[in-house]
């Protein structure tokens, strides 16, 4: 498995923060409707059902590799960063619901820009 560049990890944590913002704004503003929280799980389940990539059905279950479920607990720092980012995003979204969507859009745009930039860099450095 290739190491993931820090810029990609930072962008993904930013997108997770946006998930918390969007969920807070949607639950508080749309009558208790979650719109973002389960998206990743549904995508992973779709990957596993179609046999795409290296995702297995157990990868799609919330913390399947946690030591609490008998896993080896790899990348616990990334998992903790995701939880903290979503928690902070939800707190900011609840505090500033009226501007949460605009803030989420800006953070998401910056994160996508960082991901595209990192992908372009990795493609240009890839062996022929």
């Amino acid at each position: 498995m290739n190491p993931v560049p820090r810029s990609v990890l930072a962008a993904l944590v930013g997108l997770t923060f946006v998930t918390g913002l969007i969920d807070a704004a949607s639950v508080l503003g749309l009558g208790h409707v979650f719109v973002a929280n389960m998206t990743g799980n549904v995508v992973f389940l779709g990957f596993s059902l179609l046999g795409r990539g290296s995702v297995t059905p157990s990868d799609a279950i919330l913390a399947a590799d946690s030591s609490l479920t008998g896993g080896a607990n790899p990348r616990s720092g990334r998992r903790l960063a995701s939880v903290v980012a979503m928690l902070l995003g939800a707190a900011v979204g609840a505090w500033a619901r009226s501007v949460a969507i605009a803030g989420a859009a800006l953070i998401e745009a910056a994160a996508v820009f960082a991901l595209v930039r990192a992908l372009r860099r990795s493609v240009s450095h890839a062996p022929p």
Side-chain angles (χ1 to χ4, degrees), residues 36-123:
N37 197 346
M38 296 302 289
T39 304
N41 297 321
V42 173
V43 169
F44 281 140
L45 284 172
F47 290 164
S48 68
L49 289 173
L50 293 175
R52 301 289 184 206
S54 61
V55 179
T56 65
S58 64
D59 293 331
I61 299 171
L62 310 169
D65 56 356
S66 168
S67 59
L68 295 173
T69 60
N73 205 22
R75 297 178 295 280
S76 59
R78 290 185 194 177
R79 192 170 24 262
L80 179 62
S82 296
V83 171
V84 169
M86 192 178 297
L87 179 71
L88 290 175
V92 170
W95 175 70
R97 189 175 72 198
S98 61
V99 296
I101 302 299
L106 291 174
I107 293 168
E108 187 164 356
V112 169
F113 176 76
L115 285 172
V116 168
R117 191 170 166 204
L119 289 172
R120 283 186 180 159
R121 234 185 273 135
S122 68
V123 168

